[in-house]
C-alpha cells in the first residue's frame, strides 16, 4: 500500500499541472503560517507552536487508523499531495534546460538566482557541478526525507516531519526568535534528518559523486543547519 501511494503521488505530480502551480506558490506552507498567526492571537507562543506541531500529525494518525483499506490509500495520497514541498528542483531544472537550449542567458541567470537564494555561493562562483549538487539536495528536502518518514510511519510521519520543518524555519515578527519551543522543534528536525540523511548518502554513494555531495551537504551553511549536518 505504501508503494502504491508513492507511485500514485509521482504520477499525479507529473500529470496534474494545476496542483504543481499551487504547490510552487508555497500554498500549503502559507496556509500553515496563517494558522500559526491566528493561533498566536489568542494563545501563548509556546502553546500555539505546540498545537500546530503535534495536532495535525495526531489527527492524521487517528483518521488513518480508522479508515477502511481503499479509503486509507486515498487518504495517504491526499496527505502526500499536501505536504510534499514546492517542486523547485524540477521546475528550475526544466528552466535551466530550456535556457541552455535557447541560449537564453537571462533565463538561466534567473533560474540560478532562485536555486541559490539561500546558499553561501556567490553568483559568479556557480558552475554546472555546483548547480547539479544543489538540485540533488533540493530533491532531498522536497521529496526524499518526507517519503522516508512516510514509509516508516505512514501519513502521520510525513505530516510530523513537514510540520517540524516548517515550524523550525518560521519566524513571526511578534514571537521570541529563539524560544524554547522553537529550539525544541529545530533540534527535533535535526534528529529526524539523521537517519534520512544517512540513507540518502548511501544512495548517492551508489549513484556516484558521493564525496562531492557529502562535502556540499556538510559545508553549505543553509542546508547544513537545516538538515542536521551542522546542528548541535
Amino acid at each position: 500500500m505504501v508503494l502504491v501511494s508513492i507511485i500514485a503521488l509521482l504520477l499525479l505530480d507529473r500529470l496534474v499541472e494545476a496542483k504543481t502551480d499551487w504547490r510552487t506558490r508555497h500554498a500549503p506552507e502559507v496556509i500553515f503560517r496563517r494558522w500559526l498567526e491566528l493561533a498566536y492571537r489568542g494563545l501563548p507562543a509556546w502553546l500555539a507552536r505546540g498545537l500546530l506541531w503535534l495536532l495535525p500529525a495526531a489527527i492524521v494518525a487517528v483518521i488513518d487508523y480508522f479508515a477502511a483499506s481503499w479509503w486509507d490509500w486515498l487518504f495517504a495520497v491526499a496527505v502526500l499531495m499536501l505536504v510534499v514541498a514546492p517542486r523547485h528542483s524540477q521546475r528550475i531544472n526544466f528552466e535551466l534546460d530550456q535556457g541552455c537550449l535557447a541560449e537564453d542567458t537571462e533565463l538561466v541567470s534567473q533560474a540560478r538566482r532562485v536555486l541559490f537564494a539561500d546558499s553561501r555561493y556567490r553568483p559568479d562562483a556557480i558552475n554546472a557541478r555546483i548547480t547539479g549538487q544543489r538540485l540533488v539536495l533540493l530533491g532531498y528536502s522536497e521529496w526524499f526525507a518526507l517519503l522516508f518518514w512516510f514509509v516508516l510511519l505512514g501519513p502521520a510521519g510525513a505530516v510530523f516531519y513537514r510540520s517540524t520543518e516548517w515550524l523550525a524555519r518560521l519566524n513571526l515578527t511578534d514571537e521570541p526568535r529563539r524560544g524554547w519551543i522553537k529550539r525544541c522543534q529545530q533540534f527535533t528536525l535535526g534528529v529526524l534528518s539523521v537517519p534520512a540523511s544517512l540513507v540518502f548518502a548511501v544512495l548517492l554513494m551508489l549513484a556516484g559523486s558521493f564525496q562531492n555531495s557529502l562535502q556540499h551537504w556538510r559545508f553549505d551553511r543553509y542546508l547544513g543547519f537545516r538538515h542536521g549536518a551542522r546542528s548541535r
Side-chain angles (χ1 to χ4, degrees):
M1 190 65 68
V2 170
L3 181 59
V4 173
S5 299
I6 294 176
I7 292 173
L9 172 70
L10 295 175
L11 289 175
L12 288 171
D13 190 76
R14 294 293 180 181
L15 297 177
V16 185
E17 189 63 27
K19 183 268 307 176
T20 299
D21 293 336
W22 179 69
R23 276 202 287 109
T24 304
R25 293 195 299 270
H26 296 260
E29 187 173 357
V30 168
I31 294 171
F32 191 84
R33 182 188 181 97
R34 288 175 180 170
W35 285 350
L36 183 61
E37 290 172 344
L38 287 174
Y40 267 28
R41 295 178 182 177
L43 298 172
W46 66 270
L47 183 56
R49 276 186 168 270
L51 285 176
L52 276 181
W53 188 22
L54 302 176
L55 193 58
I59 293 173
V60 168
V62 171
I63 295 175
D64 184 53
Y65 179 80
F66 287 104
S69 58
W70 66 280
W71 276 108
D72 183 48
W73 174 75
L74 291 176
F75 179 69
V77 174
V79 168
L80 287 176
M81 293 270 288
L82 287 172
V83 296
V84 168
R87 228 173 56 158
H88 287 319
S89 54
Q90 292 96 325
R91 181 64 60 89
I92 293 172
N93 194 30
F94 175 78
E95 291 179 355
L96 287 171
D97 286 341
Q98 293 298 309
C100 291
L101 289 173
E103 297 184 358
D104 187 343
T105 56
E106 179 59 31
L107 180 59
V108 172
S109 298
Q110 180 180 356
R112 281 182 168 174
R113 282 195 296 271
V114 175
L115 186 65
F116 290 92
D118 298 304
S119 173
R120 63 184 174 86
Y121 287 103
R122 303 189 313 274
D124 58 343
I126 298 170
N127 56 33
R129 179 179 61 82
I130 294 173
T131 301
Q133 290 173 344
R134 185 73 167 176
L135 287 168
V136 168
L137 288 169
L138 278 178
Y140 168 85
S141 172
E142 295 172 5
W143 286 92
F144 185 84
L146 182 126
L147 292 180
F148 177 87
W149 288 108
F150 172 73
V151 170
L152 290 183
L153 300 176
V159 170
F160 181 71
Y161 174 82
R162 189 60 82 202
S163 62
T164 302
E165 183 190 34
W166 283 342
L167 287 167
R169 292 191 290 108
L170 276 177
N171 292 311
L172 300 184
T173 55
D174 55 348
E175 70 168 339
R177 193 167 184 83
R178 291 285 292 173
W180 69 268
I181 185 68
K182 184 174 182 179
R183 291 198 304 270
C184 183
Q185 289 161 349
Q186 291 170 337
F187 176 78
T188 303
L189 177 62
V191 172
L192 293 175
S193 297
V194 169
S197 300
L198 291 176
V199 174
F200 190 65
V202 171
L203 294 177
L204 285 176
M205 179 177 65
L206 296 175
S209 191
F210 169 69
Q211 186 62 32
N212 288 336
S213 298
L214 178 62
Q215 293 300 316
H216 185 71
W217 174 69
R218 288 183 59 198
F219 295 111
D220 186 300
R221 178 176 177 82
Y222 174 71
L223 286 175
F225 279 115
R226 181 174 174 182
H227 296 312
R230 301 177 61 148
S231 169
R232 294 187 183 91

